[in-house]
Amino acid sequence: MRGKKKKREVLGQLTLTSRAARTSLSSRLAGEGLHPGQDTALLVIADHDDLTLRDLADKLSVRPPTVTKTISRLAAQDLVEKRAGPPERRGSTVHLTERGQSLVEGVRRAQAATEKRALAGLSAKQRKLLRKLLRRIERNLGAVDDAMLAPESDE
């Protein structure tokens, strides 16, 4: 059966594609001194003034300890700062420093260039379908993850 390609399972292909996208973006972000994940956090902070760490975790769809670690690293690079939140809200808020603000456009360009490269050769219709399918997969997996995290009932 020489010449016949073995079909890759969808999840395996999705994993390889995700890894390739992350690697491509990572090489672009390295020029800014950033690691994958930090870019998205910076952009969310840039787009939403006065976010608490919990709000940021929700917007990034990660757990609060993950955000705490990311913000600590960004603060060590002088890209963000934490401030005491207003009395009516619990927790501190996170803000971009001048240095962090100066990176925002470079991060947006790096993400756009990576996306352009990834989607090269796909029509607008194919891109729309791909986004729709990926959102569906995300919802499917999110529903499973939510069910796994829910406490078991004592029935």
Side-chain angles (χ1 to χ4, degrees):
M1 289 199 191
R2 197 174 184 129
K4 186 175 181 180
K5 284 188 174 182
K6 181 181 175 187
K7 287 187 179 179
R8 188 180 307 274
E9 295 296 325
V10 173
L11 185 59
Q13 186 61 59
L14 188 59
T15 300
L16 290 174
T17 302
S18 176
R19 187 177 301 139
R22 183 179 172 104
T23 299
S24 180
L25 180 59
S26 180
S27 68
R28 284 178 165 77
L29 293 174
E32 304 287 351
L34 297 172
H35 300 286
Q38 292 179 326
D39 58 320
T40 307
L42 281 176
L43 295 182
V44 169
I45 295 165
D47 292 341
H48 299 88
D49 194 34
D50 225 22
L51 278 177
T52 65
L53 294 181
R54 178 165 296 287
D55 293 339
L56 181 58
D58 289 344
K59 290 191 180 304
L60 295 174
S61 298
V62 298
R63 292 195 167 112
T66 302
V67 164
T68 299
K69 184 185 276 188
T70 299
I71 294 303
S72 293
R73 289 179 178 162
L74 290 172
Q77 293 172 268
D78 190 36
L79 300 176
V80 301
E81 64 182 10
K82 290 194 292 187
R83 299 179 191 156
E88 67 274 5
R89 294 172 68 196
R90 288 181 43 202
S92 56
T93 58
V94 63
H95 304 267
L96 293 179
T97 61
E98 275 188 44
R99 185 164 185 258
Q101 289 172 349
S102 72
L103 292 182
V104 169
E105 284 312 307
V107 168
R108 289 189 204 284
R109 282 192 302 274
Q111 287 184 344
T114 302
E115 183 170 315
K116 182 178 180 179
R117 181 174 178 204
L119 300 178
L122 297 180
S123 69
K125 187 175 181 178
Q126 290 171 322
R127 291 171 187 219
K128 183 177 179 179
L129 177 59
L130 179 59
R131 276 191 300 275
K132 182 178 178 179
L133 293 171
L134 289 172
R135 280 193 304 269
R136 177 60 183 262
I137 292 168
E138 180 185 10
R139 281 193 310 271
N140 289 348
L141 293 175
V144 170
D145 290 343
D146 291 344
M148 290 175 21
L149 294 174
E152 294 183 31
S153 63
D154 294 329
E155 296 180 327

